[in-house]
Amino acid sequence: YLGTGSTTLPKLPILQPAKPLTVTYDSQYSNFTFAAGPVVITASFLSSVLPEDLCRTSVPLSYLTTSVQSTDNRTHDVQFYSDVNAAWAASENNVTVRWDLYEGSNKVDGSDAVTRGSSSIYSWLVYLQKPYVFAEEADVAFWGNFTYSSSAMGAENFSFQSGSSGDLRYQHVMQHSLQNVLDTDYRPFATREPVFAYAHGFGRVSSASVRYTIGSMQEPAVRYLTGQGFVPLQPWWKQCYADVHQMIRFHFNDFDATQTQASQFESQLRANVNAYYSANMAMVENNTSSVPPVYTNGTQGHSGTDQYGRDYIYNPDDSFGFLDTQNFSGIAIPDVQEAEAYYSIVALSARQVMGAYTLAIPPSSGEGPNANSNAMEPLMFQKEISSNGNTNTVDVMYPAMPFFLYTNPNLLRYNLEPLYQNQEGGF
């Protein structure tokens, strides 16, 4: 069964599209389910929001857990295939991209390209042949590494390979495995689209799951103006982990602990939203319980009356979807209570706020009169949302301040400190 993202395979009679079923999200997860014959596939992305844990927050990686569950109480022959392409490391299709594969911190050079124990973590590192430090285009950094990692995770057969996307995907569909071969013909992502793949074969099972981690990292992370000139600042995760390989290993193996902390944050967020609405019922427009209208999720046009007694129509061609019948302005989804709608906004906002920031190690005391006197605290930078490379503009910082005050007021200090240092340095 074919998931999303592949456009290079020819039409094959043995290959069918998986059918999307559901999409759910909260402050930590985005979950997608698909029907694939007698099994349900779940792709679960975890980008943890842990504002009080600086080390985990500083790690620029996310988890992807892909799982299958039998729906007919039978076992089935299960293989997973996943790849990423070189476009993750470049925004231009004419620049050469290079890549390496590591087992732990040891580079796999091709002469001994075999998978070992189930605990070994394999990582593709993808990067530009000629990086440009502190340069970007279309919000893609021109320096640093993109990384994609996985492990055997209990699979009977675990393999990897890099090569042309069409070749690897076709090979796995037909042979259900990869060849542990490394393509060393470094090239732009638009030339025989290079991809970096993992395959897991579980044999006949009723359920199975695979974990991947994915992300982009830059060293140095920020160019910082001091009284002595520009200083390159290293990412805060280097305070916590010796190098990129240790950071990847810690993050991959830390899934259970991260999941527990993420669940605690999510539970607290939901409890606080519910407590607010319980204490402020008079502020809600209409809290009388009623049977919500049937919601067809946009599969067909319909109209009706929402929970507040307002008439609405549904227009699938309009970006708002649900429209007021009087002025055709957008309205909230009719069958969602206000507390749940508010929670949804806050949950997404939590991920957007933390996803926009980078924690950096302050300059040393000898690198300018405006250096941070407390090197045990990070400086926190938010990239401007416009097309330039500005950071920490107050019009973007200000809307995030309530989140900092709610989750960890220290983040506000880390965010304001660079501005104060620049002002005190005479800039």
Side-chain angles (χ1 to χ4, degrees):
Y1 285 84
L2 180 67
T4 59
S6 176
T7 58
T8 58
L9 284 172
K11 186 175 182 179
L12 300 171
I14 63 173
L15 189 62
Q16 303 177 53
K19 299 178 180 179
L21 294 177
T22 65
V23 178
T24 61
Y25 71 86
D26 57 26
S27 65
Q28 313 288 329
Y29 285 95
S30 294
N31 304 303
F32 304 83
T33 63
F34 304 84
V39 302
V40 169
I41 303 171
T42 300
S44 181
F45 294 86
L46 170 59
S47 299
S48 56
V49 175
L50 305 173
E52 294 186 322
D53 191 322
L54 296 184
C55 283
R56 287 185 171 92
T57 290
S58 70
V59 174
L61 302 175
S62 294
Y63 298 98
L64 165 60
T65 303
T66 305
S67 59
V68 298
Q69 180 65 52
S70 172
T71 59
D72 61 2
N73 297 319
R74 297 180 179 179
T75 60
H76 301 279
D77 192 10
V78 174
Q79 298 96 26
F80 291 90
Y81 170 91
S82 180
D83 69 43
V84 294
N85 68 8
W88 284 86
S91 62
E92 298 179 344
N93 61 11
N94 59 351
V95 295
T96 299
V97 178
R98 295 180 65 93
W99 49 86
D100 299 310
L101 177 67
Y102 286 84
E103 179 193 359
S105 59
N106 300 314
K107 184 183 292 187
V108 179
D109 61 10
S111 63
D112 186 27
V114 295
T115 54
R116 295 180 174 83
S118 60
S119 62
S120 295
I121 299 171
Y122 288 81
S123 301
W124 293 105
L125 263 63
V126 187
Y127 53 94
L128 294 180
Q129 180 171 277
K130 295 182 178 179
Y132 301 91
V133 179
F134 299 127
E136 66 166 279
E137 182 175 336
D139 291 324
V140 176
F142 274 16
W143 82 104
N145 297 304
F146 171 79
T147 179
Y148 192 46
S149 303
S150 192
S151 185
M153 300 292 294
E156 291 182 351
N157 297 292
F158 171 64
S159 53
F160 57 78
Q161 191 170 346
S162 56
S164 170
S165 60
D167 292 344
L168 264 63
R169 294 166 186 171
Y170 181 81
Q171 172 186 308
H172 188 267
V173 169
M174 303 305 295
Q175 301 178 11
H176 296 168
S177 66
L178 299 173
Q179 298 177 351
N180 294 346
V181 174
L182 305 183
D183 180 358
T184 57
D185 180 17
Y186 306 118
R187 55 192 183 271
F189 71 78
T191 302
R192 299 189 327 278
E193 184 188 19
V195 298
F196 319 102
Y198 297 110
H200 296 76
F202 285 90
R204 295 196 66 84
V205 294
S206 58
S207 64
S209 66
V210 173
R211 182 188 313 150
Y212 310 91
T213 62
I214 188 169
S216 179
M217 61 204 74
Q218 283 73 44
E219 302 175 63
V222 176
R223 183 173 62 175
Y224 189 57
L225 180 61
T226 74
Q228 302 300 313
F230 287 108
V231 176
L233 302 184
Q234 294 297 321
W236 185 257
W237 59 259
K238 297 193 73 172
Q239 288 276 88
C240 311
Y241 317 104
D243 56 30
V244 63
H245 303 291
Q246 187 185 94
M247 186 258 288
I248 291 173
R249 181 171 63 253
F250 173 86
H251 179 262
F252 192 94
N253 293 327
D254 189 54
F255 178 76
D256 290 341
T258 294
Q259 190 177 43
T260 297
Q261 291 193 34
S263 177
Q264 291 170 348
F265 180 95
E266 167 66 12
S267 296
Q268 187 64 55
L269 180 64
R270 279 190 174 272
N272 289 344
V273 170
N274 291 337
Y276 171 80
Y277 275 90
S278 295
N280 296 275
M281 294 297 287
M283 298 177 61
V284 182
E285 182 173 349
N286 183 354
N287 292 289
T288 58
S289 61
S290 61
V291 178
V294 175
Y295 176 44
T296 62
N297 200 28
T299 57
Q300 55 183 311
H302 66 283
S303 60
T305 303
D306 69 13
Q307 56 190 312
Y308 305 120
R310 294 176 302 205
D311 293 335
Y312 70 87
I313 60 173
Y314 181 80
N315 181 357
D317 298 323
D318 188 280
S319 59
F320 288 104
F322 295 96
L323 307 176
D324 186 288
T325 57
Q326 300 300 315
N327 55 21
F328 300 103
S329 61
I331 65 170
I333 297 175
D335 55 350
V336 176
Q337 296 290 329
E338 182 176 327
E340 184 64 23
Y342 181 73
Y343 159 77
S344 300
I345 295 172
V346 173
L348 281 182
S349 298
R351 291 163 61 172
Q352 291 177 326
V353 169
M354 295 306 296
Y357 282 84
T358 291
L359 297 174
I361 301 173
S364 65
S365 58
E367 292 182 308
N370 59 345
N372 194 333
S373 60
N374 186 356
M376 298 306 294
E377 290 191 352
L379 299 180
M380 191 170 177
F381 298 90
Q382 181 194 44
K383 188 180 181 302
E384 174 59 271
I385 57 175
S386 61
S387 58
N388 59 34
N390 292 342
T391 59
N392 285 18
T393 53
V394 293
D395 60 318
V396 179
M397 292 167 58
Y398 179 75
M401 290 181 180
F403 177 82
F404 297 150
L405 293 174
Y406 167 66
T407 58
N408 181 2
N410 288 329
L411 297 177
L412 186 55
R413 183 170 74 252
Y414 306 152
N415 194 208
L416 290 171
E417 181 65 23
L419 293 184
Y420 294 150
Q421 288 187 11
N422 272 256
Q423 293 172 26
E424 293 168 358
F427 297 106

